[in-house]
Amino acid sequence: MHGFDLTNIIRYYPDILPYLAITFLVVIFSMLFGVIFGFLIAMAKLSKNKILNVLGNGYTNILRCTPSIILLFLVYYGLPEIIQALFGVDINHIYKGIFVIITLALLFSANMAEVMRSAYESVDKGQFEAGVSIGLNNVQTFIRILLPQCFVIALPNLGNAVIALFQEGALAFTIGFIDMMGKTNLIVSLNYGSHAREIYISLALIYWAISIIIEKGMAKFERIYKERILAKTV
């Protein structure tokens, strides 16, 4: 068994870091679709329509209680079967990243729906009535008065959700997707397990660094938003 060698922690960075771009692309697209779908789910959860309300709450409850890796397997192995049965189209050979993005977007949308709902309900609804009373229509009141305050309330949870999304993407290697985690596993396999500890520490340091950057960046953005942007709406 090889002894622990600190130099190997740095040695494999040139092989792993190029795949950071793939990891980021997956996270960005997952966030984009997750926010859009999450907004629709949040509207359903806030709706007075009982059917929409039940569907929205059912969606978030089920998705938030489903382990990420199980959902990934359900999407990867189940979605092609559904598409084949309904439309007769074989999607088994499409880019595996598509399945990863679908999975992460579903998870992120469930979290975002709850974040948006709780943020909206935290804002004093008397401000909506005040906005309407000064001549603003419903859409203008929501965009100019309620939305900025909802965004401030949601920012801390949004940052946590983005970090969780970034980290959960590491599970994509289980279906053979080659991102940072997938590449790291390939390196370990090609080395027959030699220096696996150092190689995984290299990867962990990257995840730690990016997570801290996201956390600090979101905190700074929150302060700037409160001081410069939200102040204009008061």
Side-chain angles (χ1 to χ4, degrees), residues 123-184:
V123 178
D124 183 7
K125 298 307 177 292
Q127 297 186 49
F128 184 86
E129 298 173 359
V132 174
S133 69
I134 62 173
L136 299 176
N137 59 38
N138 291 348
V139 175
Q140 290 174 325
T141 301
F142 176 75
I143 294 176
R144 296 179 60 180
I145 297 177
L146 297 185
L147 186 59
Q149 297 178 66
C150 291
F151 192 53
V152 168
I153 295 171
L155 269 176
N157 290 326
L158 175 61
N160 293 333
V162 172
I163 292 173
L165 179 68
F166 173 65
Q167 295 173 348
E168 286 174 346
L171 294 173
F173 84 95
T174 58
I175 62 170
F177 181 64
I178 305 300
D179 58 353
M180 283 198 304
M181 185 66 191
K183 180 60 177 180
T184 300

Side-chain angles (χ1 to χ4, degrees), residues 76-153:
Y76 182 64
Y77 294 108
L79 187 59
E81 296 293 332
I82 294 174
I83 298 297
Q84 180 72 44
L86 293 178
F87 307 105
V89 178
D90 183 11
I91 63 170
N92 282 294
H93 303 296
I94 66 172
Y95 182 53
K96 292 181 180 179
I98 301 298
F99 296 105
V100 178
I101 290 172
I102 292 173
T103 301
L104 295 180
L106 290 173
L107 290 170
F108 195 70
S109 66
N111 289 327
M112 282 298 96
E114 191 58 26
V115 168
M116 293 176 188
R117 180 203 61 79
S118 61
Y120 179 79
E121 292 183 339
S122 298
V123 178
D124 183 7
K125 298 307 177 292
Q127 297 186 49
F128 184 86
E129 298 173 359
V132 174
S133 69
I134 62 173
L136 299 176
N137 59 38
N138 291 348
V139 175
Q140 290 174 325
T141 301
F142 176 75
I143 294 176
R144 296 179 60 180
I145 297 177
L146 297 185
L147 186 59
Q149 297 178 66
C150 291
F151 192 53
V152 168
I153 295 171

Side-chain angles (χ1 to χ4, degrees), residues 6-234:
L6 284 173
T7 61
N8 284 314
I9 294 177
I10 302 174
R11 175 184 172 188
Y12 293 100
Y13 277 136
D15 296 320
I16 299 173
L17 283 175
Y19 292 84
L20 179 60
I22 297 176
T23 299
F24 275 148
L25 283 175
V26 169
V27 171
I28 290 170
F29 280 109
S30 300
M31 284 178 56
L32 176 62
F33 294 122
V35 167
I36 294 173
F37 194 40
F39 178 74
L40 297 176
I41 298 299
M43 291 179 62
K45 289 168 69 69
L46 292 167
S47 174
K48 295 180 180 179
N49 185 300
K50 291 184 178 180
I51 296 177
L52 291 177
N53 196 262
V54 169
L55 290 175
N57 286 314
Y59 176 86
T60 54
N61 289 335
I62 292 173
L63 266 294
R64 295 178 75 190
C65 293
T66 304
S68 305
I69 193 167
I70 293 178
L71 183 61
L72 177 59
F73 288 160
L74 288 174
V75 170
Y76 182 64
Y77 294 108
L79 187 59
E81 296 293 332
I82 294 174
I83 298 297
Q84 180 72 44
L86 293 178
F87 307 105
V89 178
D90 183 11
I91 63 170
N92 282 294
H93 303 296
I94 66 172
Y95 182 53
K96 292 181 180 179
I98 301 298
F99 296 105
V100 178
I101 290 172
I102 292 173
T103 301
L104 295 180
L106 290 173
L107 290 170
F108 195 70
S109 66
N111 289 327
M112 282 298 96
E114 191 58 26
V115 168
M116 293 176 188
R117 180 203 61 79
S118 61
Y120 179 79
E121 292 183 339
S122 298
V123 178
D124 183 7
K125 298 307 177 292
Q127 297 186 49
F128 184 86
E129 298 173 359
V132 174
S133 69
I134 62 173
L136 299 176
N137 59 38
N138 291 348
V139 175
Q140 290 174 325
T141 301
F142 176 75
I143 294 176
R144 296 179 60 180
I145 297 177
L146 297 185
L147 186 59
Q149 297 178 66
C150 291
F151 192 53
V152 168
I153 295 171
L155 269 176
N157 290 326
L158 175 61
N160 293 333
V162 172
I163 292 173
L165 179 68
F166 173 65
Q167 295 173 348
E168 286 174 346
L171 294 173
F173 84 95
T174 58
I175 62 170
F177 181 64
I178 305 300
D179 58 353
M180 283 198 304
M181 185 66 191
K183 180 60 177 180
T184 300
N185 276 327
L186 284 176
I187 294 172
V188 172
S189 297
L190 290 173
N191 288 336
Y192 300 101
S194 177
H195 305 300
R197 290 168 299 180
E198 296 95 315
I199 297 171
Y200 283 120
I201 288 174
S202 298
L203 181 63
L205 289 173
I206 296 173
Y207 274 99
W208 293 340
I210 299 299
S211 297
I212 291 172
I213 290 172
I214 294 173
E215 180 182 10
K216 298 300 182 182
M218 292 297 292
K220 185 175 183 179
F221 177 74
E222 183 180 355
R223 289 195 299 270
I224 294 174
Y225 185 83
K226 285 181 177 179
E227 294 171 1
R228 300 183 182 180
I229 302 178
L230 186 58
K232 297 179 182 180
T233 66
V234 178

